[in-house]
Amino acid sequence: MYAFRRGWYRLRYRRLTLGRDVEIRGRIRLRRGVRVSIGDRTRVNKLVRFAGPGEVRVGADCLLNATWIGCWTSVTIGDRSLLSNCELVDNDFHNLPPDLRHEPATDRTRAPIVIGENVWVGAHALVLKGVRIGDDSVVGAATVVRTDVPPRVVVVGNPQQTVKKFHD
């Protein structure tokens, strides 16, 4: 069953690269020229959406569950990461200064997102442009991530706050 779905999506989206044994249990939607590479054995549940002219790279053995990724530069997701009904947006979609707000967005409104390995991003979390999330970290449900997250911590809230550190 998954082989049929992989084949259908490869035909549907020429800008989509699927690794070995990717399990598409839900649906995938690509918009605006985004290029997407999904690693081996990654599971896709519910509707997972990608938009923008950038490039998204998803590692191996990941879970994307009802995730939305807006990518104008690049979004990288490390191996074994779990993304649950969250949003990753590497741009502001508009300029911040009032006199430029209605002008086309500039390069200053965009910055890549990097999510490390074995990261869990909870439901309704929002990861903003330029953020790097360290390996083995957890982003709690409904958290707004505006700054880098160190490895092996749990962050929650808006703005995010570190509430736990994992010790070796």
Side-chain angles (χ1 to χ4, degrees), residues 96-112:
L96 187 59
D99 57 331
L100 299 177
R101 208 163 282 160
H102 295 278
E103 300 297 320
T106 64
D107 289 341
R108 293 179 51 177
T109 64
R110 305 175 186 111

Side-chain angles (χ1 to χ4, degrees), residues 136-137 150-155 162-168:
D136 302 315
S137 286
R152 302 182 58 78
V153 300
V154 177
V155 295
T162 300
V163 295
K164 180 175 179 66
K165 295 181 181 181
F166 297 108
H167 300 289
D168 293 327

Side-chain angles (χ1 to χ4, degrees), residues 124-157:
H124 307 291
L126 174 61
V127 179
L128 298 175
K129 71 176 185 179
V131 167
R132 179 177 289 275
I133 300 176
D135 295 347
D136 302 315
S137 286
V138 176
V139 174
T143 298
V144 177
V145 183
R146 301 183 320 173
T147 60
D148 290 353
V149 175
R152 302 182 58 78
V153 300
V154 177
V155 295
V156 299

Side-chain angles (χ1 to χ4, degrees), residues 2 6 10 18-24 39-43:
Y2 297 124
R6 283 191 303 269
R10 283 183 178 121
L18 298 173
R20 287 178 303 123
D21 300 323
V22 170
E23 294 182 11
I24 303 171
D40 298 343
R41 298 170 306 281
T42 289
R43 295 163 291 153

Side-chain angles (χ1 to χ4, degrees), residues 14-75:
R14 299 284 186 207
R15 298 172 320 271
L16 174 64
T17 303
L18 298 173
R20 287 178 303 123
D21 300 323
V22 170
E23 294 182 11
I24 303 171
R25 299 173 181 179
R27 296 181 299 147
I28 298 173
R29 183 175 298 150
L30 274 65
R31 296 284 187 257
R32 296 189 177 146
V34 66
R35 294 173 313 282
V36 178
S37 172
I38 298 176
D40 298 343
R41 298 170 306 281
T42 289
R43 295 163 291 153
V44 176
N45 290 340
K46 299 184 181 177
L47 174 60
V48 175
R49 298 170 295 159
F50 303 91
E55 182 173 354
V56 178
R57 290 179 304 280
V58 179
D61 302 303
C62 291
L63 170 66
L64 303 177
N65 188 53
T67 304
W68 184 80
I69 299 175
C71 179
W72 267 247
T73 59
S74 70
V75 173

